[in-house]
Amino acid sequence: MAKTPVRTRRSGSQLSREAIIEASLRIAARGSGDAFTVRRLGEELGADPTAVYRHFRDKDELLLSVADRVYGEVVESIPDGLGWKDRLRALAEVSLRVGLKYPAVASITASRTTRRANEFRLVELILGAINEAGLDGADAALHYRAVADALLAHVGQAAAYALFTPEARAGDESSWMREYRMVDAERFPHITRLSAELAEVRPAPVYTVQVEALIAAIEARAAAVAGGEDAVV
Amino acid sequence: MAKTPVRTRRSGSQLSREAIIEASLRIAARGSGDAFTVRRLGEELGADPTAVYRHFRDKDELLLSVADRVYGEVVESIPDGLGWKDRLRALAEVSLRVGLKYPAVASITASRTTRRANEFRLVELILGAINEAGLDGADAALHYRAVADALLAHVGQAAAYALFTPEARAGDESSWMREYRMVDAERFPHITRLSAELAEVRPAPVYTVQVEALIAAIEARAAAVAGGEDAVV
DNA sequence: CCACGTAGCGCAACAGTGTTGACATCTATG
DNA sequence: CATAGATGTCAACACTGTTGCGCTACGTGG
């Protein structure tokens, strides 16, 4: 009542799925500052929050659509002309970078399947790399899932971590400095000996270790298959 | 209003952190049926929901305490007398099993650090295995994180998946059967060729591939270090 | 043995979330 | 031009975590 509408109503640019998705991405890109909520989305659009429900059945469908848009940003950032190893490495690097660009989306989508266009492009890309490595059939499907799940999980975890309040994040980080240095040296000799190194581990190398481990596993399996073995792990 | 209290008030057994944690585990073990909410917790305890706040600062602290209890269940299920590889394999298997026993806890805790007693025991266990494999210093810390993050992420993802409503889960599962079989064969040849195999991949072998890949990575790094290389990835 | 201070608990309420149904209004179509 | 359908607004509902206020029963000091 007597609330001046932010946008002169029906002034040309109506709402659309595209506009809503882009507004969602703008909010998600702002990070943990303001959460990705329907009311916040309405504010960003200069419209009533519930107007979104005229274009998406519920927030879940909106989220999957936004996620697929993000997948598009990922797949289009992968350069052409790379060997299968470097293509997987590029995919891993780009996924993490884009995922951290929209943490609110990446953290929720990590354990979902969008079943939309750009997801297909990503699956095709990974399958192509694995096929080029020398795997096919059940082996290819199995190792595709290993790679995809690992990437999604790591990106989702990193995104969720980025969404924490600064206090909670500081608590987690400083724990390696504080609590882990004070443990009983008798019961926890390894922690005691390595407390300094544990505190200094950065996320990027950890990610690299995981990705390289999977690449090596694919290579090893391909060599085994070429050598005559055919028992799937 | 005329709501008969389930428990005669002050009848000997008052609330306690222990009792609240155990009630939380009972609820979490029931799966996606009823969510792990404060009000549901009060109901399970036969007490007012807000009574919980006399024993835990907020739900987050309760959750970390519950998670550490779950960690205890994990670490005590690892048999003694195993070599480092089998110890890591046992840890992976037990983590997933216990995580799926309490999906509501596992899904939220996946990207947290409890900084409590049982977490230390788990860290010490992993560090011990890695040390036995022949890694130390920054290498050990790095590979510890790779293993721990991968396990936590996968268990958390599997738990979150188990928490979905049956409809959403059915949609995800059938997508490999439905949508993925209908994609354009021209644009997505690999998906088309492997759609049957993709639909048949089960989670357990995928997890195995990831775990074995990390074990192999640790072994390879240990061999490289023993051979004279000392550059950390 | 009694008073009292406090810890434990119940109750009502608040702010925030996603979502729905009724109403209004604008657009496009016949 | 009239009407039907799509689109936006508003109020409200059910649910979440959380807090302030009171009451009550316990255990402890005098």
Side-chain angles (χ1 to χ4, degrees):
Chain A
M1 39 186 81
K3 187 185 294 179
T4 56
V6 180
R7 184 173 62 92
T8 29
R9 72 168 75 167
R10 290 303 154 82
S11 66
S13 80
Q14 320 216 3
L15 251 42
S16 68
R17 288 176 73 100
E18 280 306 302
I20 294 175
I21 290 176
E22 278 165 17
S24 302
L25 286 177
R26 282 199 301 275
I27 296 177
R30 276 199 280 277
S32 85
D34 47 358
F36 177 28
T37 153
V38 178
R39 284 175 177 79
R40 182 71 192 80
L41 181 55
E43 200 177 321
E44 179 77 25
L45 289 162
D48 189 273
T50 63
V52 172
Y53 289 89
R54 300 291 157 188
H55 301 266
F56 295 92
R57 184 161 35 82
D58 52 21
K59 200 190 178 185
D60 194 64
E61 196 212 334
L62 166 61
L63 202 74
L64 291 184
S65 303
V66 173
D68 202 65
R69 176 76 143 247
V70 174
Y71 284 164
E73 200 170 321
V74 169
V75 76
E76 275 153 23
S77 301
I78 312 273
D80 285 336
L82 295 175
W84 69 272
K85 289 185 185 179
D86 281 335
R87 226 178 318 153
L88 290 183
R89 290 186 183 111
L91 173 66
E93 189 268 330
V94 169
S95 298
L96 183 61
R97 180 161 48 78
V98 175
L100 289 178
K101 186 172 165 191
Y102 311 110
V105 176
S107 66
I108 309 183
T109 314
S111 42
R112 299 303 305 276
T113 300
T114 71
R115 284 163 284 169
R116 281 164 171 77
N118 287 321
E119 186 180 75
F120 294 146
R121 299 171 65 192
L122 273 178
V123 174
E124 183 72 15
L125 186 148
I126 300 178
L127 285 178
I130 291 179
N131 187 59
E132 196 176 310
L135 293 185
D136 207 339
D139 268 328
L142 177 66
H143 286 79
Y144 155 74
R145 282 288 296 272
V147 169
D149 287 11
L151 290 195
L152 273 174
H154 190 272
V155 172
Q157 184 170 284
Y161 190 73
L163 277 181
F164 285 157
T165 64
E167 306 90 61
R169 201 161 53 233
D172 267 36
E173 277 168 7
S174 68
S175 72
W176 294 102
M177 304 292 292
R178 217 180 268 114
E179 284 92 341
Y180 272 53
R181 282 181 196 259
M182 298 191 185
V183 299
D184 181 8
E186 298 278 333
R187 290 181 60 204
F188 306 107
H190 295 108
I191 294 179
T192 304
R193 175 170 40 88
L194 295 173
S195 64
E197 286 86 352
L198 285 169
E200 281 163 8
V201 175
R202 300 284 81 203
V206 175
Y207 191 41
T208 301
V209 166
Q210 295 176 334
V211 172
E212 294 299 329
L214 285 172
I215 290 178
I218 293 171
E219 200 167 29
R221 179 63 192 156
V225 170
E229 300 191 35
D230 53 5
V232 181
V233 182
Chain B
M1 39 188 80
K3 188 185 293 180
T4 56
V6 180
R7 186 172 62 92
T8 28
R9 71 168 74 166
R10 290 308 154 81
S11 66
S13 78
Q14 318 216 1
L15 250 45
S16 68
R17 290 177 72 100
E18 280 305 301
I20 294 174
I21 290 177
E22 279 165 16
S24 303
L25 287 177
R26 282 199 300 275
I27 296 176
R30 275 199 280 276
S32 84
D34 47 359
F36 178 27
T37 152
V38 179
R39 283 175 176 80
R40 183 70 193 80
L41 181 55
E43 200 178 321
E44 179 76 24
L45 289 162
D48 190 273
T50 62
V52 172
Y53 289 86
R54 301 289 151 186
H55 301 267
F56 295 93
R57 186 162 32 83
D58 52 21
K59 200 190 177 183
D60 193 65
E61 196 212 333
L62 166 61
L63 202 74
L64 291 183
S65 303
V66 174
D68 202 65
R69 176 76 144 246
V70 174
Y71 284 164
E73 201 169 322
V74 170
V75 75
E76 277 154 21
S77 301
I78 311 273
D80 285 336
L82 296 175
W84 69 272
K85 289 185 185 179
D86 282 334
R87 226 178 317 155
L88 289 184
R89 291 185 183 114
L91 173 66
E93 189 267 328
V94 169
S95 297
L96 183 60
R97 180 160 49 78
V98 176
L100 289 178
K101 188 172 164 190
Y102 311 109
V105 176
S107 67
I108 310 182
T109 315
S111 43
R112 299 301 306 275
T113 300
T114 70
R115 283 164 284 169
R116 282 164 172 77
N118 288 321
E119 187 179 75
F120 294 148
R121 298 170 65 192
L122 273 179
V123 175
E124 183 73 14
L125 186 147
I126 300 178
L127 285 177
I130 291 179
N131 188 58
E132 196 177 311
L135 293 185
D136 207 340
D139 269 327
L142 176 66
H143 286 79
Y144 155 75
R145 283 288 296 271
V147 169
D149 287 11
L151 290 195
L152 273 175
H154 189 274
V155 172
Q157 184 171 285
Y161 189 73
L163 278 182
F164 285 157
T165 65
E167 306 89 61
R169 200 161 55 231
D172 267 37
E173 278 168 8
S174 68
S175 72
W176 294 101
M177 303 291 291
R178 215 180 269 116
E179 284 92 341
Y180 272 54
R181 283 181 195 259
M182 301 189 184
V183 299
D184 181 9
E186 297 279 333
R187 291 181 60 203
F188 306 108
H190 294 108
I191 292 179
T192 304
R193 175 169 40 89
L194 295 172
S195 64
E197 287 86 351
L198 285 169
E200 280 163 9
V201 175
R202 301 283 81 204
V206 175
Y207 191 40
T208 301
V209 166
Q210 295 176 333
V211 172
E212 294 299 329
L214 285 173
I215 290 178
I218 292 171
E219 200 168 27
R221 179 63 191 157
V225 170
E229 299 190 35
D230 53 5
V232 181
V233 183

